[in-house]
Amino acid sequence: MLDTNQPFRSIESPFTNPLMEVIREHPNVQAPSAHDIAERYLPEECNQMKEYIKSFEPTWNERGVTIMCDGWSGPTNMHIIKFLVYSSRGTVFHKSIDATDLYKWDVDYYFQLMKKVVEEIGEKSVVQIVTNNEAAVKAVEKKLMEAFPHLYWTASAAHCLDLLLEDIGNMKNIKLVMVKAKKISQFIYHYKWAINYMKEFTSGRDLTRPGITRFATQFVMLESVFRHKSTLQEMFDSTKWLSSRYGQMPDELAAEVRELL
């Protein structure tokens, strides 16, 4: 249940009872309650994980680590800042901060936050910090290098590429093509039947796939639409499509996509 992130109360669901009855048939085994899972087994798992991460410390002390800091914003305006620790033993999650309710994320806030993380891991072990290229964060890293002279700051390569792709995507001629490709993809992916029918022409492949970054995903989508250009044209010219309600839709987007293809 912990591994699959199931709600603890699901152990007390009537649909779980058949499983629990089988467990209870054994005289020396007692089925756990939601309280047992939350207050006993979860802390045990946490302690085991902490011990595992602690086993990394000799390597950290000997060879040093890189702290990787990244931010994430969700559709509900939730803002999470997460910290990972990378070493030759591998990467481990250190912690995350919910910064949703902060009035502003200024230089002083980021500095105090990152300084605390460096001290938590051990300043002698931290060789490098990798962050995005936001102006406030770049100013913070200068202060950190002054506070910890042995520490280096490195900009995230993925974020640099994302900014480059954003600039390229905003060029007038590129943006025009990108908008057209988006309309084709959005129209097809709005309807499950259209997606399934499209895959008959694309050998089961999707037009949209997650990329490394947000803007990389857009260029991956554009490349995919271009690669499947002729098969999409065949799809929209097929008798099955033309006779379907999707091929006869009168709305503006449907008409524009038909014209584009």
Side-chain angles (χ1 to χ4, degrees):
M1 292 185 68
L2 296 174
D3 180 60
T4 55
N5 198 27
Q6 299 296 318
F8 297 153
R9 67 178 185 278
S10 62
I11 198 74
E12 296 166 354
S13 163
F15 298 100
T16 317
N17 277 339
L19 171 64
M20 295 297 100
E21 289 302 323
V22 173
I23 294 175
R24 292 185 188 103
E25 287 178 4
H26 195 287
N28 298 321
V29 177
Q30 184 177 358
S33 64
H35 182 269
D36 290 334
I37 296 172
E39 301 298 329
R40 177 182 171 189
Y41 297 118
L42 180 58
E44 286 179 1
E45 290 288 331
C46 287
N47 289 332
Q48 287 180 19
M49 182 55 65
K50 287 177 181 177
E51 288 299 316
Y52 171 69
I53 293 174
K54 195 172 182 179
S55 70
F56 283 49
E57 289 184 2
T59 304
W60 292 359
N61 295 332
E62 179 184 352
R63 303 193 177 187
V65 302
T66 292
I67 297 175
M68 297 186 290
C69 172
D70 191 18
W72 176 85
S73 296
T76 59
N77 293 321
M78 175 182 285
H79 185 71
I80 303 295
I81 303 171
K82 60 185 179 183
F83 294 91
L84 305 175
V85 182
Y86 170 80
S87 70
S88 57
R89 279 276 311 263
T91 303
V92 296
F93 173 81
H94 179 61
K95 71 176 182 179
S96 62
I97 303 293
D98 186 350
T100 306
D101 296 329
L102 286 178
Y103 176 68
K104 63 178 179 178
W105 308 309
D106 57 11
V107 173
D108 186 61
Y109 171 76
Y110 278 124
F111 174 71
Q112 294 300 329
L113 178 60
M114 292 186 184
K115 183 174 181 289
K116 184 177 180 181
V117 171
V118 170
E119 291 170 347
E120 288 171 353
I121 295 169
E123 60 180 89
K124 292 183 179 180
S125 299
V126 180
V127 177
Q128 178 182 224
I129 294 183
V130 178
T131 70
N132 61 32
N133 293 278
E134 290 181 27
V137 176
K138 290 169 73 173
V140 166
E141 301 315 327
K142 291 180 180 178
K143 292 184 67 175
L144 274 175
M145 288 190 287
E146 291 173 359
F148 306 105
H150 68 284
L151 185 150
Y152 293 88
W153 169 72
T154 305
S156 165
H159 191 240
C160 288
L161 287 171
D162 203 33
L163 294 175
L164 286 169
L165 290 173
E166 182 181 10
D167 289 342
I168 294 170
N170 284 330
M171 294 170 65
K172 187 175 180 181
N173 57 336
I174 302 294
K175 191 172 185 178
L176 183 63
V177 178
M178 192 75 76
V179 167
K180 291 178 179 179
K182 276 185 181 179
K183 287 181 178 179
I184 294 170
S185 178
Q186 286 170 358
F187 175 72
I188 293 173
Y189 277 84
H190 192 66
Y191 306 102
K192 188 175 182 179
W193 185 89
I195 298 171
N196 293 331
Y197 188 53
M198 175 202 69
K199 288 183 178 180
E200 294 180 18
F201 292 84
T202 61
S203 302
R205 295 185 177 182
D206 281 299
L207 295 182
T208 58
R209 304 191 308 275
I212 298 173
T213 65
R214 180 159 56 98
F215 291 101
T217 302
Q218 296 183 19
F219 278 89
V220 169
M221 177 273 300
L222 175 61
E223 188 273 338
S224 186
V225 170
F226 177 76
R227 178 159 31 92
H228 295 295
K229 176 182 175 181
S230 59
T231 54
L232 290 172
Q233 288 172 334
E234 289 177 24
M235 169 186 165
F236 273 69
D237 286 337
S238 67
T239 304
K240 186 176 180 180
W241 178 265
L242 292 173
S243 60
S244 70
R245 72 182 184 90
Y246 307 100
Q248 300 175 16
M249 283 182 169
D251 64 87
E252 184 179 343
L253 179 60
E256 188 173 356
V257 170
R258 282 196 297 270
E259 181 65 26
L260 285 171
L261 287 169

